[in-house]
Amino acid sequence: MDAKTVQVTIDKAVPRWDIFCAVVDNFGDIGVCWRLARQLAAEYNLSVRLWVDQLAPFRALCPTLQECDQQWLEGVDVRHWQGENCTPETSDGAADVVVEGFACNLPAAYIEAMAAREQAPIWFNLEYLTAEPWADEYHSLPSIDAQTGLRKVLFVPGFSAHTGGILRERDVIERRDQWQSHSTYRSLFLKQLNVQCDHNTRLVSLFSYENSALPELLRAMEQFSQKHCVLVPMGRVVASIESYLGESLPLGQAITRGALTVQAIPFLAQAEYDHLLWSCDFNIVRGEDSLVRALWAGKPLLWHIYPQEGEHLIKLQAFLTRYTEGLTPEQAAAVMALWMAWNTQASMVEPWQQALAELPTLSRQARSWALLQSGKTDLAAKMVQFCTKLV
């Protein structure tokens, strides 16, 4: 759908939206819901309330967040969701569109308010991002709530035209290109983080879950012919790095072992994290929100998918099948070997070396893949278009 058609559907959009988010694993769920809420408010001029049950993880992504029940942030009405404390009186009635983030189970009182509306709201169950084939079939399928008879629509983010798309602000590719075409932006950003590396050093960002394969990856970098500087936002993985180094890694300090330098940097707000991804030569990311931002960065990447008793490997393989399209069999095999080793906590030395041998090609492929995906309708636009068809 072209930009002119999208603009027409925006003008007819249902105005009031409520997005509910229960923080399950630190930053993934709230990262997606916060981006979606901001985009709906900024690009579609919608009235958006974001209900969040835990404010501390949210504050890491949005440092201006306050510890209070209600506040306005970047055009979004942010509410502290406290159990069943979400009644028609405290929430000003149920919204026209309700987004249940990742099956978080809405408060019973709010569902009653939805059922009491003269016109039933549009109710989305926003699923996790997947490249699996089932998404094409199940996306946008409705189900009926047994208690109220309300219709709930399964909205599945994905990479094909038959899914719900992926989150992408209208100008993200333009902003990225502007950043990457002016080296001063990168230099000033790294200077603010007190990062010092020369042009011959490969800059790597590392945002990962705990992983027993990490020591081998660091060892491979330490023994490699080219220097690597690994920037690690403060978080769960720092303890594993300290164990490998044999000493503490205070914020801002850089420690060098052979060709490897590791530096702990502050945990970054979402906009600054984009700048980090745009500035690095290789990005190691985790979960859903960071994966999507790394894809838009157009740089080679390594994804640590959320572990789910083996099911995550099926999901990982489905994504890799799409992501490696256009590569030669040898290049695709190198990417798959690296990603599978990382996510099965296997030996990393040989897969890392093989991937680096293909790095120039992988860099071009990452950028072209991002460009291809940016030509598709994004998640927020698809949700708005779905609503306008029912108005």
Side-chain angles (χ1 to χ4, degrees), residues 193-209:
L193 296 176
N194 197 31
V195 174
Q196 299 179 2
C197 63
D198 57 43
H199 295 295
N200 296 319
T201 299
R202 180 173 290 119
L203 200 60
V204 179
S205 73
L206 173 62
F207 182 52
S208 168
Y209 301 112

Side-chain angles (χ1 to χ4, degrees), residues 212-221 244 346-350:
S212 62
L214 179 59
E216 274 213 356
L217 178 59
L218 295 176
R219 188 173 298 109
M221 295 181 185
Y244 173 80
S347 175
M348 291 294 296
V349 176
E350 185 176 349

Side-chain angles (χ1 to χ4, degrees), residues 23 40 83 115 135 138 140 149 193 197 211 230 259-260 311 339 388:
V23 179
L40 290 170
Y138 285 90
S140 77
L193 296 176
C197 63
N211 193 332
V230 179
L260 169 68
E311 294 182 10
W339 287 42
T388 59

Side-chain angles (χ1 to χ4, degrees), residues 309-385:
E309 298 182 357
E311 294 182 10
H312 62 294
L313 296 180
I314 298 173
K315 185 174 181 178
L316 181 69
Q317 184 62 59
F319 175 77
L320 281 169
T321 299
R322 291 185 181 274
Y323 186 66
T324 56
E325 289 178 355
L327 295 176
T328 67
E330 294 77 17
Q331 293 162 349
V335 173
M336 289 186 178
L338 178 66
W339 287 42
M340 294 304 291
W342 184 239
N343 283 279
T344 58
Q345 304 186 41
S347 175
M348 291 294 296
V349 176
E350 185 176 349
W352 179 252
Q353 293 173 344
Q354 291 175 344
L356 290 189
E358 301 288 353
L359 197 60
T361 299
L362 298 184
S363 297
R364 292 190 295 271
Q365 183 263 353
R367 196 167 186 86
S368 62
W369 202 87
L371 182 62
L372 175 66
Q373 291 297 317
S374 69
K376 299 178 181 179
T377 306
D378 66 272
L379 175 64
K382 284 204 170 189
M383 295 184 94
V384 170
Q385 292 167 18

